[in-house]
Amino acid sequence: MEGASLTSKTSDISIGGRKKRHIKRGGDVEEQQVTPSQPSSPVVMSSAKSGLPDSMKLIIGAGGIYSAFLYYGSLQEDVFRYVSADGESFKQAWFLQVLEALANVVVGFVGMKLMGETKGIPLKMFGISGAAQVSAKACTSLALANGLSFPVATLAKSGKMAPVMAGSLLLGGATYSVREYLQVAAIIGGTAVVSMGKKKGAASNSSLGIAFIVLSLVLDGVTAGFQKRLKAETAKAGVKPKPYDFMFWTNLFMCLTATAIALGLGEFTSGLAYCAANAEILSKIVKFSLCSAVGQSFIFYTIANFDPLVLSTVTTTRKIFSVLLSIFLK
C-alpha cells in the first residue's frame, strides 16, 4: 500500500486526504499526523509502479488493435478491389505479405532495441508460428484476390475463434470453461449477423476464394496452438519475451517465408511492376503496411500478456466494425 512503512511496527492510514501514522509501542498504539507532502518510500513507489493491472493492459491492447486495424481492413478491401487502367487487378498476395511483414520487422527491431532485447529466446517455435501466421494471412488475401467479397471473408474469419480454441486445445494443451465456449459462440454469431447485413450488390464468390478462406482458418488454429507452445517453451527456458521481441522475431520469420514463396511464384517481380505502373495502389499498400506495423505492436503486447483466445476475441469483434465501415463507406 502507498505510504506503508517498511518496519513491522508502523503503518500509515489515509483519512480525508491526510495521513495518520500508527506506532505500536508495547500494547498501546500512538497516533501521529503525517503531512501529505511527506515523501513515500522509494521501495514502495517502485513496487506500485511494477506493472499495470490486467484490465488496463487489455484496454491498451484492444484500443490500439481497434484503431489501427479498422483502417487496415478498409485499405485491404481497397487493394483487392483496385483495377488498373488496363483492367488488371492486384493478385500478388505473397508480395503484399513481404511488404507488410517487412514494415513490422523494422518497427519491431526499433522497439526491441529501445525497450531492451531479451536474450536466450527459443527461436524454433517463433519460426513455426511465423510461417503458419503469414500463410494464414496470405490465404485471406488470396481469397479476396480470387473473388471472395470482403463481407463474406469477414464473416468466415469471424469464426476464427473456433479454430483458435481448437488449436490451443490440441497443440497448446489449453483448457476452457463452458462459459468461454458460450462466449465464443455468441461473438461468432453476432459477427455473422452483422456481416450478413452487407449490401446485396456484393460480388459473387468463387469456389477458389472460399477454399482459400477455409485454409486460412485452419492455419489460424495451427498458429494459435504454436503460440501457446511458444509461451510454454519460453517459460520453460526461464525467459519472458517482451512485446517487441514477439513482434520482431515472428515477423522476421514471416518475412523470410513470404519472400521465399513470392520469389518461387514470381510474384516479387510482377508485384513490383504492378506497383510501379499504378502509383495509387502503391500508396494504399504503404499505408496498409504501416497500419499493420502499428496494429501488430498492440497485438504482440496483447499476446505477451494474455491467452491467444483473448487476442482472437478482440480481433474478431473488431471485424464487426470493419464490416459496418464497409457497409456505410464502400
Side-chain angles (χ1 to χ4, degrees), residues 13-167:
I13 299 177
S14 176
I15 302 176
R18 296 180 64 80
K19 291 181 180 177
K20 292 185 177 182
R21 172 164 292 162
H22 290 232
I23 304 176
K24 190 171 182 181
R25 295 180 177 173
D28 300 319
V29 175
E30 180 180 335
E31 191 173 86
Q32 292 181 341
Q33 295 290 337
V34 181
T35 61
S37 60
Q38 182 173 343
S40 300
S41 163
V43 176
V44 174
M45 292 295 289
S46 175
S47 176
K49 294 180 180 179
S50 61
L52 293 171
D54 284 349
S55 58
M56 184 58 65
K57 290 178 181 178
L58 184 58
I59 289 172
I60 292 171
I65 290 169
Y66 268 63
S67 300
F69 282 107
L70 282 174
Y71 191 34
Y72 170 96
S74 178
L75 288 166
Q76 184 180 36
E77 184 176 8
D78 290 343
V79 166
F80 288 103
R81 289 179 61 180
Y82 182 85
V83 179
S84 63
D86 59 1
E88 185 180 354
S89 59
F90 183 82
K91 294 185 179 295
Q92 289 80 3
W94 285 102
F95 173 71
L96 181 65
Q97 294 309 312
V98 172
L99 299 181
E100 182 183 352
L102 183 60
N104 282 278
V105 168
V106 173
V107 173
F109 180 79
V110 173
M112 187 173 64
K113 293 302 179 183
L114 290 175
M115 301 300 291
E117 182 178 354
T118 304
K119 303 295 184 181
I121 295 176
L123 296 181
K124 179 180 178 181
M125 278 297 141
F126 272 103
I128 297 172
S129 175
Q133 188 171 333
V134 75
S135 298
K137 290 171 70 68
C139 284
T140 300
S141 295
L142 285 166
L144 294 171
N146 284 278
L148 193 69
S149 67
F150 182 79
V152 172
T154 304
L155 170 61
K157 293 293 280 187
S158 71
K160 174 182 176 179
M161 293 171 69
V164 164
M165 183 175 275

